[in-house]
Amino acid sequence: MTAVKQQTTRDQAAPGRKRSDGAGRSATVKDVATLAGVSPKTVSNVINGFVHVSPATRERVQQAIRELGYRPNRVARNLRRGSTGMIGLVLPELDVPYFAELGRHFLTTAEEHGRTLLIEQTLGDREREAAVIHGLGDQVVDGMVVSPLALHGSALANHLGTVPLVLIGERPSGGLADHVVIDNVAAAKEAVAHLAAGGRRRIAAIGLQPEPYIGTPLLRRTGYRQALEEAGLPLDPLLERETPRYHLAEGARAMAALLDGAEPPDAVFCFNDALALGALRTLYERGLRVPDDMAVMGFDDIEAARYSTPSLSSVAPDKSAIARHAVDLLLERIGTPDRPAQEVVVGHTLHTRESTEGGIATTAH
């Protein structure tokens, strides 16, 4: 098991704020309360993830915590509440840029709540997902956030209830667990509609996957097909390409196969940015111009999308909101184990860049 704990150095307070009384005194709960304009009890409620704090007040307190560099006394707090003070984050692949960036947001959010974050990867393996859920819960964490790839439905339900748990991503749990998602169907539909609006008529899709990986790929395929139908474009099964994983090499290979077909596409919607960046490489090697000969759209808006040549159009899930809502739900679940499961749908933004239209525009949803 791999433990990752955020280490943040705050040698200086934010401009205009004082962290000490001149004698090196660390910021206290009272300091945070004064800056946020609330009571110390409200600060404690925010830190401990209690439910009955308004979003505006919670944000004000968390901003004050950041400005003052406040660090709760975790040992004392954990002894008082009989917990480990640690929460788990279970992700499929840590070397996939989207999950790496998402993990950073979870580290920041956990720190704001005075929690230590343990990160584990499953590689999308069904048995490993089950083992990690049980292993973390039995050993060290008070609860965990899980992004499963292989477990879903009844198979996932068998592993719920052993530890407070929140799901992220698109693995259905039958409403048995808290769930934080984006609207993948709507997001994919908007991305493909953008390609169709640019005059593209043979729009391919890269990233379909067979069972058991039916969650996100299935939803993005649904949005892709709906966009084609609404644009009056035919659905050509030869333009839909499966990939074993969402890696650069898979995108490059799928793009090559599309180009070698009898009727190549004039645009491609990739189900994540790594696939899209791999596709861009193949197009470069084949001497094709982007977007003149081929428009390319990605998904996830990783940092590399903004710095590729050409820059990559992409759908940007609100990663910060995913982390914030998931941790809030988890802390609520830890404090109130029997409350009904909740689902939170966070927003997304369509960033159109050089790979689809030669310019830069942004549409938020």
Side-chain angles (χ1 to χ4, degrees), residues 201-203 224-225 228-229 231-237 239-240:
R201 291 298 173 261
R202 288 185 55 77
I203 303 174
Y224 160 76
R225 291 181 172 181
L228 293 182
E229 181 179 0
L233 300 177
L235 177 63
D236 184 350
L239 295 181
E240 295 185 346

Side-chain angles (χ1 to χ4, degrees), residues 4 11-12 15 31 41 50 72 82 137 144 161 210-211 215 233 281 285 326 329 341 356:
V4 180
D11 293 331
Q12 296 180 349
D31 296 329
K41 178 61 175 176
F50 291 166
M144 68 182 77
E211 280 274 12
L233 300 177
R281 179 65 190 184
E285 292 174 348
L329 285 173
T356 61

Side-chain angles (χ1 to χ4, degrees), residues 4-336:
V4 180
K5 177 179 178 181
Q6 184 188 36
Q7 301 292 332
T8 304
T9 302
R10 296 186 179 94
D11 293 331
Q12 296 180 349
R17 305 294 185 192
K18 292 185 177 180
R19 290 192 55 202
S20 70
D21 57 5
R25 180 178 65 85
S26 299
T28 66
V29 167
K30 185 175 180 180
D31 296 329
V32 174
T34 299
L35 179 56
V38 299
S39 69
K41 178 61 175 176
T42 298
V43 174
S44 178
N45 288 342
V46 170
I47 292 171
N48 288 289
F50 291 166
V51 181
H52 304 297
V53 180
S54 72
T57 299
R58 186 182 301 276
E59 175 58 32
R60 201 160 67 247
V61 171
Q62 290 175 344
Q63 179 61 32
I65 288 172
R66 288 191 291 269
E67 289 191 27
L68 293 174
Y70 171 70
R71 289 178 175 272
N73 186 329
R74 294 180 180 177
V75 174
R77 287 175 53 240
N78 293 340
L79 287 174
R80 286 196 300 270
R81 66 191 179 197
S83 72
T84 68
M86 294 184 284
I87 58 177
L89 175 63
V90 181
L91 298 173
E93 296 179 278
L94 298 181
D95 55 353
V96 170
Y98 170 75
F99 290 119
E101 293 182 9
L102 187 63
R104 177 174 58 82
H105 287 287
F106 270 96
L107 284 165
T108 300
T109 304
E111 177 71 19
E112 290 173 354
H113 286 282
R115 301 281 179 151
T116 299
L117 187 71
L118 302 184
I119 300 180
E120 181 65 276
Q121 73 170 357
T122 65
L123 302 177
D125 177 77
R126 187 187 189 91
E127 299 304 321
R128 185 166 176 78
E129 285 181 353
V132 168
I133 290 173
H134 282 293
L136 280 181
D138 289 343
Q139 296 178 44
V140 290
V141 300
D142 299 321
M144 68 182 77
V145 178
V146 181
S147 177
L149 284 186
L151 289 175
H152 64 92
S154 59
L156 180 59
N158 291 335
H159 302 286
L160 300 177
T162 58
V163 64
L165 184 146
V166 174
L167 300 181
I168 56 174
E170 299 295 348
R171 308 309 299 161
S173 67
L176 298 177
D178 295 314
H179 202 174
V180 179
V181 299
I182 70 165
D183 190 339
N184 270 289
V185 173
K189 185 176 176 181
E190 290 159 15
V192 176
H194 168 72
L195 296 173
R200 310 293 171 165
R201 291 298 173 261
R202 288 185 55 77
I203 303 174
I206 294 177
L208 286 77
Q209 291 188 336
E211 280 274 12
Y213 307 106
I214 63 172
T216 298
L218 177 61
L219 294 172
R220 293 181 187 174
R221 184 191 70 181
T222 299
Y224 160 76
R225 291 181 172 181
Q226 287 182 1
L228 293 182
E229 181 179 0
E230 292 189 7
L233 300 177
L235 177 63
D236 184 350
L238 296 178
L239 295 181
E240 295 185 346
R241 295 287 167 169
E242 290 185 357
T243 59
R245 296 287 185 179
Y246 282 8
H247 296 168
L248 292 161
E250 303 296 340
R253 281 193 285 268
M255 189 74 254
L258 287 167
L259 294 176
D260 292 338
E263 295 183 71
D266 58 10
V268 59
F269 168 51
C270 298
F271 287 12
N272 85 337
D273 285 346
L275 294 173
L277 293 171
L280 284 177
R281 179 65 190 184
T282 293
L283 292 168
Y284 170 77
E285 292 174 348
R286 296 289 185 94
L288 296 175
R289 298 168 299 168
V290 178
D292 299 38
D293 301 318
M294 183 83 65
V296 180
M297 172 71 70
F299 205 113
D300 289 342
D301 197 43
I302 62 174
E303 185 178 17
R306 300 186 286 278
Y307 294 96
S308 63
T309 303
S311 57
L312 178 65
S313 295
S314 185
V315 176
D318 190 337
K319 303 180 189 77
S320 177
I322 292 171
R324 185 173 66 254
H325 286 296
V327 171
D328 285 347
L329 285 173
L330 183 60
L331 295 180
E332 289 179 19
R333 174 64 60 188
I334 292 170
T336 314

